[in-house]
Amino acid sequence: MIEENNYDLLIIGSGPAGLGAAVYAVRAGLKTAVLDKSPVSGGQVLNTYDVDNYLGLPGMSGGDLSEKFREHADKLGTVFLTADVQKIENADNKKIVHTSEGDFESKAVILATGAAHSVLGVPGEAKFSGMGVSYCATCDGAFFRKRTVAVVGGGDVAVEDAIFLAAICEKVYLIHRRDTLRAADILQKKLMSLDNVQVLWDSEVKEICGGDLVEAVEVYHKKSGEQSTLAVNGVFIAVGIVPSTDTFKGLVEMDEKGYIVADESCATSQSGIFAAGDIRKKPMRQIITAVADGANAVNSVQNFLML
Ligand code: NAP
C-alpha cells in the first residue's frame, strides 16, 4: 500500500484527455493524481509525426505537443504515478483502484486510457511483427530508408504514415480496401502530390510473406478478382483503433466495440466514474476533442463531489 493513497480524483491515463483533465482538476483545487503504466505521457499522440490541426500550434510533432501538455500539468503541480491499473472497485462513497504499485482510494475516477492500434489479422502479420511489420511509422520508419514499403488503411493515420514514409523511402504503396479515403481532405491532397506514392484502390492484403524479414505482400483486387504479389521490405498497418478498456469490463457500460457509453458530461453508468477521450463512445476522436473531454469530465466530477 502506498502511503499517500487518498485522493479526490484519480485520472487513469496520461494522453491528451488525462492531461487535459489534470490541468482542470488541479486548478479546481481537487487533490488529484494521474496514474499511467508508462512514465512517458502522450498516448497515441506520441506516434504522430506532425499534428497540424491542434488549435494555435500548427505543424507541431506529436512528441513536442505531448511534452507541452505534460509541462503544463507539471507546472501546476500535478502528481504523476507510474502504475498499471488492474481493477477498480466501488466501496461505499469511494473507489478503490488496485494497481501494480498498490491500492489507491479516490472519491471519483476519470478513465482516460485511450486506444491502441487494431491488427489486420492476416497470415504473416504476427510472425513478422517487428521484422518488417510495424504499427508505428514514426517509430520504425527510419529502418526502411530508401526501401519500398506498403501502408495498409485509408484513415488519417494511414495517410499521415504514407506521407511521412514517402520522405524516407524509395517507394510507398498505400493499400486501401475501398475506392475513397476516409482521411482529411488536406492529407489526401498532400498524399496525391507525392511522386513516390502509389495508391492501390479496392485492394486487400491477404498475406504478408518473407523469410527472416518481410519480402512481399499478397494483394487481392476486389473488383477484378485478381491476386498479385507486391515486393516490399516493410508493411505499416494503420487500420484503426481499439479502445483500451479491458480492465474496466463489468465496471461501466460499454458498446459492442468496447467503447465506454457516456455523453459529453463524460458520466458513465457507474456513479463517480467518468470516461474521457478516445475510450468514450463518440462520433469524433481527435486530440482537441480528447482534451475537451478532460475539461468536461472534471466539471462533472466537481458537480458529483458537491452532491
Ligand atoms: P480510422 O479513421 O478508423 O481508419 C481506419 C482505416 O482502416 C479505414 O480507412 C478503414 O477502411 C481501414 N480498415 C479498417 N479495418 C480494416 C481491415 N480489416 N482491412 C483493411 N482496412 C481496414 O482509424 P485511424 O486512421 O487509425 O484513426 C483513428 C482515429 O484517430 C480517427 O478518429 C482519426 O480521425 C483520429 N486521428 C486524429 C488525428 C488528429 O487529431 N490530428 C490524427 C490521426 C488520427 P474503411 O475506410 O473502408 O472503413
Side-chain angles (χ1 to χ4, degrees), residues 256-289:
E256 65 292 347
K257 291 180 178 163
Y259 288 102
I260 296 172
V261 176
D263 64 14
E264 210 185 335
S265 75
C266 298
T268 70
S269 57
Q270 190 65 250
S271 169
I273 298 188
F274 302 83
D278 280 6
I279 61 166
R280 181 168 79 82
K281 185 177 178 180
K282 58 177 178 172
M284 199 186 192
R285 293 191 175 84
Q286 299 280 300
I287 301 167
I288 205 160
T289 61

Side-chain angles (χ1 to χ4, degrees), residues 63-75:
D64 288 349
L65 188 61
S66 301
E67 244 175 65
K68 278 201 169 291
F69 289 168
R70 173 70 190 245
E71 275 168 22
H72 192 168
D74 278 335
K75 195 174 149 203

Side-chain angles (χ1 to χ4, degrees), residues 149-170:
V149 297
V151 177
V152 187
D156 284 338
V157 171
V159 175
E160 280 178 357
D161 283 358
I163 293 168
F164 173 74
L165 290 164
I168 299 172
C169 301
E170 176 80 21

Side-chain angles (χ1 to χ4, degrees), residues 69-239:
F69 289 168
R70 173 70 190 245
E71 275 168 22
H72 192 168
D74 278 335
K75 195 174 149 203
L76 293 166
T78 307
V79 173
F80 284 93
L81 302 165
T82 305
D84 193 0
V85 172
Q86 288 154 351
K87 193 179 174 194
I88 299 177
E89 257 185 295
N90 272 304
D92 299 330
N93 289 328
K94 61 189 178 193
K95 315 289 167 200
I96 318 250
V97 178
H98 301 278
T99 83
S100 56
E101 307 305 313
D103 295 349
F104 297 83
E105 287 179 16
S106 185
K107 293 175 187 159
V109 172
I110 295 177
L111 309 176
T113 44
H117 66 77
S118 297
V119 296
L120 195 53
V122 297
E125 180 179 9
K127 178 183 169 193
F128 291 109
S129 182
M131 306 300 281
V133 169
S134 169
Y135 301 87
C136 178
T138 49
C139 316
D140 299 328
F143 297 121
F144 299 89
R145 193 167 295 281
K146 298 201 187 321
R147 314 299 298 273
T148 295
V149 297
V151 177
V152 187
D156 284 338
V157 171
V159 175
E160 280 178 357
D161 283 358
I163 293 168
F164 173 74
L165 290 164
I168 299 172
C169 301
E170 176 80 21
K171 171 97 184 175
V172 178
Y173 294 102
L174 182 73
I175 304 173
H176 182 41
R177 65 183 178 182
R178 293 187 297 121
D179 61 0
T180 51
L181 296 167
R182 189 179 287 276
D185 189 57
I186 191 166
L187 291 173
Q188 294 193 35
K189 285 191 174 124
K190 172 75 182 163
L191 181 83
M192 298 308 172
S193 74
L194 299 172
D195 292 337
N196 61 340
V197 175
Q198 185 179 342
V199 183
L200 306 183
W201 301 105
D202 299 303
S203 297
E204 289 176 356
V205 171
K206 289 292 179 195
E207 186 172 354
I208 301 169
C209 320
D212 290 338
L213 300 171
V214 166
E215 290 168 13
V217 281
E218 287 295 317
V219 182
Y220 172 73
H221 190 262
K222 288 160 72 181
K223 287 194 175 153
S224 69
E226 279 171 21
Q227 189 154 317
S228 54
T229 305
L230 192 67
V232 294
N233 307 108
V235 185
F236 288 85
I237 295 170
V239 294

